[in-house]
Amino acid sequence: MISRPKTILKLSLFLLGLVISTSTQAYKSNLTSPINGQEPTDARIEEGSKLFASNCATCHAIDRKLIGPALSGVLAKYDDVDYVIDWIQNNAALISAGDPRAVEASKIDASAMNLFTNLSDDQVTSILMYIENGGDGDEPVAAEGGAAAPAEPVDESLFGKVNWGIVILSVLMFVILVLIVGIIELVSNITGRQIINWNNVNAFMMIVFVFIFFALVLYEYSVHKQFLLPEASSEHGIELDRMMKWTFMATIPVFFITQFLLFYFSFRYRHREGRKAYYYPHNNNLEYIWTTVPAVVLTILVLGGLKSWKNIVKSDPPANTTEIEVFAYQFGWQARYAGEDGKLGQADFNLISATNPLGVANLEYAKGLLVELEEEIKKIEERIAGLGKEEAKLRSTLGGLVGEERKKHLKEIESYASGEVRDDLELTIRARKTQIDRIKRSIEAAETADFYNGYGNDDQVVQEIHLVIGKPVTLRFRARDVIHSAYLPYFRAQMNVVPGLPTQFTFTPTKTTNEMRRLKSDPEWDYYLVCNKICGNAHFNMKLKVVVEQQSDYDKWLAEQGALFVKAEPEAPTEEATEATETEETETETENQTEEGLALN
């Protein structure tokens, strides 16, 4: 009878939520004017939301500063859609070209923004529509059907005041407690008798604490057990879970027994007047028992774990294993699939650029990159030659500045005067020359080495990972900057991703994404690859969507992905060009016939 009202209440709330969710749209466009000449429809807002989540959300939020600045009002700030699109796609090109706005933005934030040359103009436009729409566009509606009143902004100082109030109150309570104990001790010294037997107090507190401690352990498990490792979605995950289960069965009873005895003995053998402790220095039999039993149990567990680890990591992958490269950087992931040849190409960090974010080996690209690097060096040298003019311009604009703005301006002038800017530019030139030298050596050895073997020409760089259910996959990891850790909790897979040290992990997924959504009753649920190593200030937001699907769906998705190095197909000749070509061929043929006739005569 007690649970029936709760059941009715839950059912009513569920039906109410169902009605609300079916009567509203997930994405709603509130924009009234086109962006980049395109209408901001609901479909474009939804597309922009997905692109924003997979490319931008790691470092940016719409309404607040994250790693990068808040993006709300970005079009109004620059008032140039084409410039914003170019900045998002390849900000490095704008900076190296000396664009004033790009150079100024690079000075404000020293961390380099990721490049998104893989995004088309239309895709970037969709992202801008989503940003300018303020997100999904849902607006609260007033109960009477009128306009909803805007929420009052929360005073940020209120939180600081509350926190300081709690700190001061805690300090006062501690001081009062110390004074009370001091008064009791003073009375004991004056009267010559003990008012409070602190041994008994401490002893009974031991018993109280151990039961409270056990209650909190059980409560923590009952409340947060859903946050423990979920049911495994890989073949080896089942074996790991079984090993973990046996480990818990062996250690949890020992935990409760030993902790209870520890606190019980503190209570049972507390100090009492007139009682002397029994001196018991050693017992070989007890030593044998509490040494041998844990050793045997742990040996069994460790040997079982080593066997499982060998089967998971050391065994050779099956012949039908799909190889996928996963590339980590601050703060995101990219994946690379083999093309039609079924083989992943070689890669090297010296080949990394805006158009080749993973540094995949391609001979023609490497030669073109040499030209780009030489041009970049020339531009840097030209800037070094003009540093005096830049410093003079900064000094001429110092007047009228006050406060923090003046301090910032003076600091920038000092960086020029001290030679810091020159040193940074010269360091960049040395780094580019080293990169050029390494690329040239790799090109010279192309005929004898297997680096530019052509396998990478048709590789596909993607923004999410797709896997086939029941088919083994090897994830080959590389890192561009710092140590990351690739963590796939549902697949029981985790591997450190170390710069300069390729690592890999093989597993077989056993549950599709749709199957997991049904099990969790959540149509929006997805697998994710996350970073489990604190790699910087945006580590918490570093993730990559993983989709497990049937072979047919996988083949369809893979066919839609473009190759990294695509040669432009020759344009079909226009009718005018065709007619002109035919006229030229006719005239040439007539001239040839005339020349032949003259030669015969």
Side-chain angles (χ1 to χ4, degrees):
M1 295 299 292
I2 297 176
S3 61
R4 181 172 296 178
K6 293 183 179 180
T7 304
I8 295 174
L9 178 60
K10 290 180 180 179
L11 183 60
S12 301
L13 292 175
F14 172 77
L15 293 175
L16 178 61
L18 186 62
V19 171
I20 294 174
S21 62
T22 54
S23 61
T24 59
Q25 294 179 342
Y27 295 90
K28 179 183 177 183
S29 174
N30 296 318
L31 301 178
T32 56
S33 58
I35 295 179
N36 198 25
Q38 302 177 29
E39 291 298 327
T41 62
D42 293 352
R44 293 298 297 274
I45 301 296
E46 181 176 3
E47 179 191 15
S49 172
K50 294 177 180 178
L51 291 170
F52 184 90
S54 59
N55 295 281
C56 313
T58 300
C59 299
H60 292 279
I62 295 178
D63 56 351
R64 70 185 189 281
K65 184 182 185 303
L66 202 59
I67 304 307
L71 298 181
S72 179
V74 64
L75 291 182
K77 178 180 179 181
Y78 290 98
D79 195 24
D80 187 347
V81 178
D82 293 334
Y83 176 80
V84 175
I85 292 175
D86 291 341
W87 170 265
I88 292 174
Q89 290 174 333
N90 194 346
N91 60 88
L94 294 175
I95 296 172
S96 61
D99 182 88
R101 290 178 292 184
V103 174
E104 185 63 26
S106 66
K107 293 177 181 177
I108 295 174
D109 189 356
S111 59
M113 174 180 166
N114 295 325
L115 308 178
F116 299 103
T117 54
N118 58 304
L119 297 178
S120 65
D121 289 357
D122 288 345
Q123 288 176 317
V124 177
T125 302
S126 296
I127 294 175
L128 292 175
M129 290 177 180
Y130 173 73
I131 293 171
E132 291 300 302
N133 198 51
D136 57 23
D138 285 344
E139 296 179 343
V141 179
E144 298 297 329
E152 290 293 333
V154 179
D155 185 4
E156 295 293 336
S157 63
L158 177 62
F159 297 104
K161 294 177 181 177
V162 171
N163 291 335
W164 276 111
I166 294 174
V167 170
I168 294 173
L169 183 62
S170 300
V171 172
L172 290 176
M173 291 179 64
F174 177 76
V175 170
I176 293 172
L177 183 62
V178 171
L179 291 175
I180 291 174
V181 173
I183 292 172
I184 293 174
E185 289 294 326
L186 182 61
V187 172
S188 298
N189 294 333
I190 294 174
T191 59
R193 62 186 183 86
Q194 189 177 26
I195 297 176
I196 298 178
N197 189 333
W198 290 109
N199 286 320
N200 288 335
V201 171
N202 291 331
F204 281 100
M205 288 298 295
M206 290 284 185
I207 295 298
V208 172
F209 176 82
V210 73
F211 283 107
I212 294 177
F213 175 59
F214 286 160
L216 290 175
V217 169
L218 296 175
Y219 172 78
E220 174 69 19
Y221 176 77
S222 64
V223 172
H224 294 127
K225 63 181 178 181
Q226 67 267 27
F227 298 111
L228 298 176
L229 282 176
E231 184 178 353
S233 298
S234 63
E235 289 184 354
H236 77 271
I238 299 174
E239 184 178 355
L240 281 179
D241 288 354
R242 187 184 302 113
M243 184 178 65
M244 183 66 71
K245 179 181 178 181
W246 281 105
T247 302
F248 282 153
M249 290 175 61
T251 57
I252 289 179
V254 175
F255 165 77
F256 280 100
I257 293 172
T258 54
Q259 293 302 309
F260 174 77
L261 291 178
L262 174 67
F263 288 93
Y264 173 74
F265 283 175
S266 299
F267 167 77
R268 177 69 177 82
Y269 298 106
R270 65 188 182 276
H271 172 72
R272 292 178 181 176
E273 293 293 336
R275 188 173 70 173
K276 186 177 181 181
Y278 176 67
Y279 181 67
Y280 192 77
H282 188 68
N283 188 306
N284 286 333
N285 293 330
L286 287 177
E287 292 284 349
Y288 292 145
I289 292 173
W290 63 48
T291 302
T292 304
V293 173
V296 171
V297 174
L298 291 176
T299 300
I300 295 173
L301 293 176
V302 170
L303 291 178
L306 289 174
K307 180 181 177 182
S308 299
W309 183 248
K310 180 181 178 182
N311 293 337
I312 295 168
V313 178
K314 300 297 183 181
S315 59
D316 295 330
N320 64 332
T321 301
T322 301
E323 287 192 351
I324 303 171
E325 182 183 75
V326 179
F327 189 75
Y329 60 91
Q330 291 178 311
F331 297 95
W333 305 88
Q334 284 185 310
R336 177 163 63 107
Y337 284 71
E340 295 182 0
D341 56 16
K343 296 181 179 180
L344 287 171
Q346 299 282 359
D348 187 84
F349 71 93
N350 289 293
L351 297 176
I352 292 177
S353 72
T355 55
N356 188 6
L358 273 64
V360 181
N362 178 277
L363 189 57
E364 294 182 5
Y365 163 77
K367 294 177 180 178
L369 183 59
L370 288 177
V371 177
E372 293 179 11
L373 293 173
E374 293 286 0
E375 292 178 353
E376 184 180 352
I377 290 176
K378 289 180 181 179
K379 291 179 181 178
I380 296 175
E381 289 175 342
E382 292 174 359
R383 189 183 173 197
I384 290 177
L387 286 179
K389 294 181 179 180
E390 290 185 15
E391 182 180 352
K393 184 178 179 180
L394 285 171
R395 292 183 182 277
S396 66
T397 56
L398 181 60
L401 298 179
V402 295
E404 291 297 327
E405 203 171 334
R406 182 179 178 84
K407 290 181 180 178
K408 179 181 176 183
H409 207 79
L410 286 171
K411 185 177 180 181
E412 191 171 356
I413 292 174
E414 177 61 24
S415 66
Y416 278 83
S418 64
E420 181 182 347
V421 175
R422 177 183 290 273
D423 292 342
D424 289 343
L425 294 174
E426 291 177 347
L427 180 62
T428 302
I429 290 178
R430 290 198 297 271
R432 295 295 178 266
K433 288 183 177 179
T434 302
Q435 186 178 0
I436 289 172
D437 180 61
R438 290 173 177 173
I439 295 175
K440 284 182 176 179
R441 279 185 287 167
S442 69
I443 294 176
E444 292 171 358
E447 295 182 359
T448 57
D450 192 40
F451 186 66
Y452 296 104
N453 50 26
Y455 293 148
N457 295 350
D458 59 351
D459 286 356
Q460 300 162 316
V461 177
V462 298
Q463 302 300 318
E464 61 184 34
I465 296 175
H466 283 239
L467 307 176
V468 180
I469 182 173
K471 186 175 182 180
V473 57
T474 296
L475 299 182
R476 294 167 48 181
F477 300 104
R478 283 196 301 136
R480 185 175 71 187
D481 33 48
V482 299
I483 297 178
H484 302 272
S485 181
Y487 181 42
L488 293 155
Y490 285 85
F491 302 120
R492 302 298 189 269
Q494 179 170 321
M495 183 62 66
N496 280 346
V497 187
V498 186
L501 181 64
T503 54
Q504 65 182 45
F505 196 95
T506 302
F507 65 93
T508 303
T510 57
K511 291 186 178 68
T512 66
T513 298
N514 289 332
E515 185 178 354
M516 288 298 295
R517 287 176 176 176
R518 289 193 297 268
L519 290 173
K520 290 181 171 293
S521 301
D522 183 1
E524 302 296 327
W525 185 91
D526 283 303
Y527 291 110
Y528 279 100
L529 166 67
V530 298
C531 180
N532 207 25
K533 186 87 67 181
I534 299 177
C535 58
N537 50 4
H539 152 78
F540 68 95
N541 211 20
M542 185 173 166
K543 61 183 180 180
L544 182 67
K545 182 179 176 181
V546 180
V547 178
V548 181
E549 56 197 354
Q550 300 295 335
Q551 182 71 52
S552 58
D553 296 326
Y554 172 83
D555 293 338
K556 180 181 178 182
W557 171 82
L558 194 62
E560 296 172 352
Q561 309 307 311
L564 182 61
F565 302 103
V566 181
K567 293 183 178 180
E569 298 181 359
E571 296 182 0
T574 61
E575 294 182 2
E576 296 179 0
T578 304
E579 292 176 359
T581 304
E582 291 176 352
T583 303
E584 291 176 1
E585 291 177 351
T586 304
E587 292 176 354
T588 303
E589 185 177 352
T590 303
E591 291 175 359
N592 292 337
Q593 290 175 355
T594 303
E595 292 176 357
E596 289 176 0
L598 293 172
L600 291 173
N601 292 333

mmCIF file of all heavy atoms in Angstrom, residues 5 114 127 131 145 154 162 206 212 221 275-276 278 285 293 295 321 341 346 349-350 407 412 425 448 496 503 531 567:
data_model
loop_
_atom_site.group_PDB
_atom_site.id
_atom_site.type_symbol
_atom_site.label_atom_id
_atom_site.label_comp_id
_atom_site.label_asym_id
_atom_site.label_seq_id
_atom_site.Cartn_x
_atom_site.Cartn_y
_atom_site.Cartn_z
ATOM 1 N N PRO A 5 1.113 4.848 -4.069
ATOM 2 C CA PRO A 5 1.152 6.285 -4.405
ATOM 3 C C PRO A 5 2.432 6.683 -5.130
ATOM 4 O O PRO A 5 2.396 7.502 -6.041
ATOM 5 C CB PRO A 5 1.053 6.967 -3.035
ATOM 6 C CG PRO A 5 0.412 5.947 -2.153
ATOM 7 C CD PRO A 5 0.908 4.629 -2.630
ATOM 8 N N ASN A 114 42.734 24.302 -32.906
ATOM 9 C CA ASN A 114 42.780 23.198 -33.854
ATOM 10 C C ASN A 114 42.315 23.654 -35.225
ATOM 11 O O ASN A 114 41.536 24.601 -35.360
ATOM 12 C CB ASN A 114 41.905 22.042 -33.363
ATOM 13 C CG ASN A 114 42.441 21.434 -32.087
ATOM 14 O OD1 ASN A 114 43.636 21.360 -31.885
ATOM 15 N ND2 ASN A 114 41.555 21.012 -31.208
ATOM 16 N N ILE A 127 27.427 25.292 -38.217
ATOM 17 C CA ILE A 127 27.918 25.513 -36.854
ATOM 18 C C ILE A 127 27.634 26.940 -36.411
ATOM 19 O O ILE A 127 27.190 27.190 -35.283
ATOM 20 C CB ILE A 127 29.426 25.206 -36.778
ATOM 21 C CG1 ILE A 127 29.685 23.718 -37.021
ATOM 22 C CG2 ILE A 127 29.993 25.616 -35.420
ATOM 23 C CD1 ILE A 127 31.148 23.343 -37.085
ATOM 24 N N ILE A 131 25.443 28.350 -33.266
ATOM 25 C CA ILE A 131 25.982 29.279 -32.273
ATOM 26 C C ILE A 131 25.111 30.522 -32.174
ATOM 27 O O ILE A 131 24.730 30.961 -31.080
ATOM 28 C CB ILE A 131 27.429 29.652 -32.634
ATOM 29 C CG1 ILE A 131 28.336 28.432 -32.508
ATOM 30 C CG2 ILE A 131 27.931 30.781 -31.740
ATOM 31 C CD1 ILE A 131 29.731 28.657 -33.038
ATOM 32 N N GLY A 145 0.651 31.518 -21.318
ATOM 33 C CA GLY A 145 0.816 31.641 -22.758
ATOM 34 C C GLY A 145 1.556 32.890 -23.169
ATOM 35 O O GLY A 145 1.823 33.106 -24.340
ATOM 36 N N VAL A 154 22.276 35.328 -11.263
ATOM 37 C CA VAL A 154 22.693 34.998 -9.905
ATOM 38 C C VAL A 154 23.936 35.801 -9.555
ATOM 39 O O VAL A 154 24.883 35.887 -10.348
ATOM 40 C CB VAL A 154 22.990 33.485 -9.783
ATOM 41 C CG1 VAL A 154 23.451 33.152 -8.371
ATOM 42 C CG2 VAL A 154 21.754 32.684 -10.143
ATOM 43 N N VAL A 162 28.713 32.953 1.191
ATOM 44 C CA VAL A 162 28.242 31.743 1.878
ATOM 45 C C VAL A 162 29.424 30.873 2.301
ATOM 46 O O VAL A 162 29.474 30.351 3.427
ATOM 47 C CB VAL A 162 27.278 30.960 0.976
ATOM 48 C CG1 VAL A 162 26.953 29.602 1.587
ATOM 49 C CG2 VAL A 162 25.999 31.752 0.740
ATOM 50 N N MET A 206 35.305 4.065 19.138
ATOM 51 C CA MET A 206 35.819 3.109 18.149
ATOM 52 C C MET A 206 34.696 2.205 17.647
ATOM 53 O O MET A 206 34.560 1.964 16.447
ATOM 54 C CB MET A 206 36.928 2.256 18.776
ATOM 55 C CG MET A 206 38.218 2.998 19.051
ATOM 56 S SD MET A 206 39.142 3.252 17.542
ATOM 57 C CE MET A 206 40.641 4.001 18.197
ATOM 58 N N ILE A 212 29.303 2.894 11.981
ATOM 59 C CA ILE A 212 28.970 3.988 11.055
ATOM 60 C C ILE A 212 29.750 3.826 9.748
ATOM 61 O O ILE A 212 29.223 4.039 8.650
ATOM 62 C CB ILE A 212 29.271 5.357 11.707
ATOM 63 C CG1 ILE A 212 28.330 5.587 12.890
ATOM 64 C CG2 ILE A 212 29.148 6.483 10.699
ATOM 65 C CD1 ILE A 212 28.606 6.879 13.642
ATOM 66 N N TYR A 221 27.779 1.892 -1.735
ATOM 67 C CA TYR A 221 27.622 0.872 -2.781
ATOM 68 C C TYR A 221 26.194 0.856 -3.315
ATOM 69 O O TYR A 221 25.978 0.757 -4.528
ATOM 70 C CB TYR A 221 27.982 -0.502 -2.220
ATOM 71 C CG TYR A 221 27.752 -1.608 -3.213
ATOM 72 C CD1 TYR A 221 28.653 -1.827 -4.256
ATOM 73 C CD2 TYR A 221 26.624 -2.425 -3.121
ATOM 74 C CE1 TYR A 221 28.427 -2.839 -5.175
ATOM 75 C CE2 TYR A 221 26.398 -3.433 -4.046
ATOM 76 C CZ TYR A 221 27.307 -3.639 -5.068
ATOM 77 O OH TYR A 221 27.080 -4.626 -5.980
ATOM 78 N N ARG A 275 44.705 -2.961 35.728
ATOM 79 C CA ARG A 275 44.863 -4.107 34.817
ATOM 80 C C ARG A 275 46.146 -3.943 34.022
ATOM 81 O O ARG A 275 46.393 -2.881 33.445
ATOM 82 C CB ARG A 275 43.677 -4.214 33.872
ATOM 83 C CG ARG A 275 43.724 -5.503 33.066
ATOM 84 C CD ARG A 275 42.481 -5.725 32.248
ATOM 85 N NE ARG A 275 42.371 -4.779 31.124
ATOM 86 C CZ ARG A 275 41.431 -4.877 30.192
ATOM 87 N NH1 ARG A 275 40.496 -5.812 30.293
ATOM 88 N NH2 ARG A 275 41.406 -4.000 29.206
ATOM 89 N N LYS A 276 46.950 -5.024 34.014
ATOM 90 C CA LYS A 276 48.225 -5.006 33.337
ATOM 91 C C LYS A 276 48.131 -5.815 32.044
ATOM 92 O O LYS A 276 47.548 -6.892 32.006
ATOM 93 C CB LYS A 276 49.302 -5.602 34.252
ATOM 94 C CG LYS A 276 50.704 -5.501 33.684
ATOM 95 C CD LYS A 276 51.718 -6.047 34.686
ATOM 96 C CE LYS A 276 53.128 -5.932 34.117
ATOM 97 N NZ LYS A 276 54.123 -6.479 35.079
ATOM 98 N N TYR A 278 49.046 -8.275 29.052
ATOM 99 C CA TYR A 278 49.766 -9.557 28.990
ATOM 100 C C TYR A 278 50.813 -9.477 27.878
ATOM 101 O O TYR A 278 50.505 -9.094 26.734
ATOM 102 C CB TYR A 278 48.791 -10.690 28.705
ATOM 103 C CG TYR A 278 49.456 -12.037 28.529
ATOM 104 C CD1 TYR A 278 50.092 -12.657 29.615
ATOM 105 C CD2 TYR A 278 49.452 -12.679 27.292
ATOM 106 C CE1 TYR A 278 50.702 -13.888 29.458
ATOM 107 C CE2 TYR A 278 50.058 -13.902 27.134
ATOM 108 C CZ TYR A 278 50.682 -14.518 28.216
ATOM 109 O OH TYR A 278 51.298 -15.726 28.061
ATOM 110 N N ASN A 285 52.928 -20.376 14.841
ATOM 111 C CA ASN A 285 51.758 -20.940 14.161
ATOM 112 C C ASN A 285 50.880 -19.839 13.559
ATOM 113 O O ASN A 285 50.386 -19.957 12.432
ATOM 114 C CB ASN A 285 50.937 -21.790 15.135
ATOM 115 C CG ASN A 285 51.691 -23.039 15.560
ATOM 116 O OD1 ASN A 285 52.496 -23.566 14.803
ATOM 117 N ND2 ASN A 285 51.459 -23.494 16.781
ATOM 118 N N VAL A 293 48.057 -18.235 4.125
ATOM 119 C CA VAL A 293 46.716 -18.127 3.528
ATOM 120 C C VAL A 293 46.621 -16.963 2.535
ATOM 121 O O VAL A 293 46.196 -17.147 1.382
ATOM 122 C CB VAL A 293 45.647 -18.009 4.641
ATOM 123 C CG1 VAL A 293 44.288 -17.719 4.028
ATOM 124 C CG2 VAL A 293 45.598 -19.293 5.465
ATOM 125 N N ALA A 295 49.041 -15.541 0.944
ATOM 126 C CA ALA A 295 49.960 -15.812 -0.165
ATOM 127 C C ALA A 295 49.325 -16.761 -1.178
ATOM 128 O O ALA A 295 49.433 -16.563 -2.391
ATOM 129 C CB ALA A 295 51.270 -16.383 0.368
ATOM 130 N N THR A 321 40.862 -9.131 -38.576
ATOM 131 C CA THR A 321 40.852 -7.961 -37.693
ATOM 132 C C THR A 321 40.964 -6.664 -38.500
ATOM 133 O O THR A 321 41.794 -6.549 -39.400
ATOM 134 C CB THR A 321 42.012 -8.041 -36.689
ATOM 135 O OG1 THR A 321 41.881 -9.232 -35.912
ATOM 136 C CG2 THR A 321 42.005 -6.836 -35.760
ATOM 137 N N ASP A 341 42.687 -0.247 -50.397
ATOM 138 C CA ASP A 341 43.764 -1.245 -50.353
ATOM 139 C C ASP A 341 43.776 -2.033 -49.052
ATOM 140 O O ASP A 341 44.477 -3.043 -48.934
ATOM 141 C CB ASP A 341 45.120 -0.580 -50.576
ATOM 142 C CG ASP A 341 45.388 0.545 -49.563
ATOM 143 O OD1 ASP A 341 44.692 0.603 -48.542
ATOM 144 O OD2 ASP A 341 46.298 1.353 -49.822
ATOM 145 N N GLN A 346 51.998 4.660 -43.731
ATOM 146 C CA GLN A 346 52.931 5.137 -42.709
ATOM 147 C C GLN A 346 52.593 6.580 -42.328
ATOM 148 O O GLN A 346 51.869 7.277 -43.045
ATOM 149 C CB GLN A 346 54.365 5.063 -43.246
ATOM 150 C CG GLN A 346 54.821 3.666 -43.620
ATOM 151 C CD GLN A 346 55.208 2.846 -42.408
ATOM 152 O OE1 GLN A 346 55.152 3.335 -41.280
ATOM 153 N NE2 GLN A 346 55.596 1.591 -42.615
ATOM 154 N N PHE A 349 55.328 12.635 -37.611
ATOM 155 C CA PHE A 349 54.884 13.930 -37.070
ATOM 156 C C PHE A 349 55.443 15.100 -37.867
ATOM 157 O O PHE A 349 54.889 16.194 -37.840
ATOM 158 C CB PHE A 349 55.275 14.046 -35.596
ATOM 159 C CG PHE A 349 56.743 14.216 -35.353
ATOM 160 C CD1 PHE A 349 57.290 15.487 -35.228
ATOM 161 C CD2 PHE A 349 57.575 13.127 -35.237
ATOM 162 C CE1 PHE A 349 58.636 15.651 -34.991
ATOM 163 C CE2 PHE A 349 58.928 13.275 -35.013
ATOM 164 C CZ PHE A 349 59.472 14.543 -34.883
ATOM 165 N N ASN A 350 56.545 14.909 -38.604
ATOM 166 C CA ASN A 350 57.103 15.986 -39.416
ATOM 167 C C ASN A 350 56.196 16.364 -40.580
ATOM 168 O O ASN A 350 56.351 17.448 -41.155
ATOM 169 C CB ASN A 350 58.474 15.578 -39.959
ATOM 170 C CG ASN A 350 59.534 15.538 -38.879
ATOM 171 O OD1 ASN A 350 59.909 16.561 -38.319
ATOM 172 N ND2 ASN A 350 59.996 14.341 -38.554
ATOM 173 N N LYS A 407 49.149 48.272 -18.873
ATOM 174 C CA LYS A 407 50.130 47.280 -18.423
ATOM 175 C C LYS A 407 50.360 46.217 -19.489
ATOM 176 O O LYS A 407 51.495 45.818 -19.758
ATOM 177 C CB LYS A 407 49.652 46.629 -17.123
ATOM 178 C CG LYS A 407 49.689 47.540 -15.911
ATOM 179 C CD LYS A 407 49.216 46.786 -14.674
ATOM 180 C CE LYS A 407 49.233 47.683 -13.440
ATOM 181 N NZ LYS A 407 48.737 46.973 -12.235
ATOM 182 N N GLU A 412 53.821 44.057 -23.854
ATOM 183 C CA GLU A 412 54.048 43.678 -25.246
ATOM 184 C C GLU A 412 55.221 44.459 -25.839
ATOM 185 O O GLU A 412 56.035 43.908 -26.585
ATOM 186 C CB GLU A 412 52.775 43.931 -26.061
ATOM 187 C CG GLU A 412 52.817 43.335 -27.457
ATOM 188 C CD GLU A 412 51.476 43.419 -28.153
ATOM 189 O OE1 GLU A 412 50.497 43.865 -27.531
ATOM 190 O OE2 GLU A 412 51.418 43.034 -29.336
ATOM 191 N N LEU A 425 60.647 33.990 -33.008
ATOM 192 C CA LEU A 425 60.572 33.836 -34.463
ATOM 193 C C LEU A 425 61.780 33.076 -35.002
ATOM 194 O O LEU A 425 61.644 32.213 -35.883
ATOM 195 C CB LEU A 425 60.466 35.206 -35.127
ATOM 196 C CG LEU A 425 59.175 35.983 -34.849
ATOM 197 C CD1 LEU A 425 59.248 37.375 -35.448
ATOM 198 C CD2 LEU A 425 57.964 35.235 -35.405
ATOM 199 N N THR A 448 64.375 3.423 -51.655
ATOM 200 C CA THR A 448 64.854 2.239 -50.923
ATOM 201 C C THR A 448 64.024 1.937 -49.678
ATOM 202 O O THR A 448 63.854 0.774 -49.311
ATOM 203 C CB THR A 448 66.318 2.445 -50.502
ATOM 204 O OG1 THR A 448 66.398 3.647 -49.712
ATOM 205 C CG2 THR A 448 67.210 2.586 -51.732
ATOM 206 N N ASN A 496 47.597 3.482 -22.629
ATOM 207 C CA ASN A 496 48.282 4.763 -22.655
ATOM 208 C C ASN A 496 48.638 5.139 -24.089
ATOM 209 O O ASN A 496 49.033 4.292 -24.889
ATOM 210 C CB ASN A 496 49.557 4.712 -21.810
ATOM 211 C CG ASN A 496 49.263 4.857 -20.326
ATOM 212 O OD1 ASN A 496 48.167 5.250 -19.933
ATOM 213 N ND2 ASN A 496 50.238 4.534 -19.499
ATOM 214 N N THR A 503 51.198 2.392 -29.431
ATOM 215 C CA THR A 503 50.612 1.312 -28.636
ATOM 216 C C THR A 503 49.353 0.831 -29.340
ATOM 217 O O THR A 503 48.840 1.493 -30.252
ATOM 218 C CB THR A 503 50.266 1.790 -27.222
ATOM 219 O OG1 THR A 503 49.432 2.961 -27.312
ATOM 220 C CG2 THR A 503 51.521 2.137 -26.438
ATOM 221 N N CYS A 531 39.534 10.312 -22.548
ATOM 222 C CA CYS A 531 40.913 10.340 -22.051
ATOM 223 C C CYS A 531 40.891 10.108 -20.542
ATOM 224 O O CYS A 531 40.195 10.816 -19.817
ATOM 225 C CB CYS A 531 41.564 11.669 -22.388
ATOM 226 S SG CYS A 531 43.279 11.790 -21.806
ATOM 227 N N LYS A 567 42.910 13.265 -55.648
ATOM 228 C CA LYS A 567 43.316 14.021 -56.818
ATOM 229 C C LYS A 567 42.085 14.612 -57.490
ATOM 230 O O LYS A 567 41.083 13.939 -57.678
ATOM 231 C CB LYS A 567 44.058 13.122 -57.812
ATOM 232 C CG LYS A 567 45.410 12.631 -57.298
ATOM 233 C CD LYS A 567 46.122 11.816 -58.349
ATOM 234 C CE LYS A 567 47.486 11.357 -57.852
ATOM 235 N NZ LYS A 567 48.200 10.546 -58.878
#
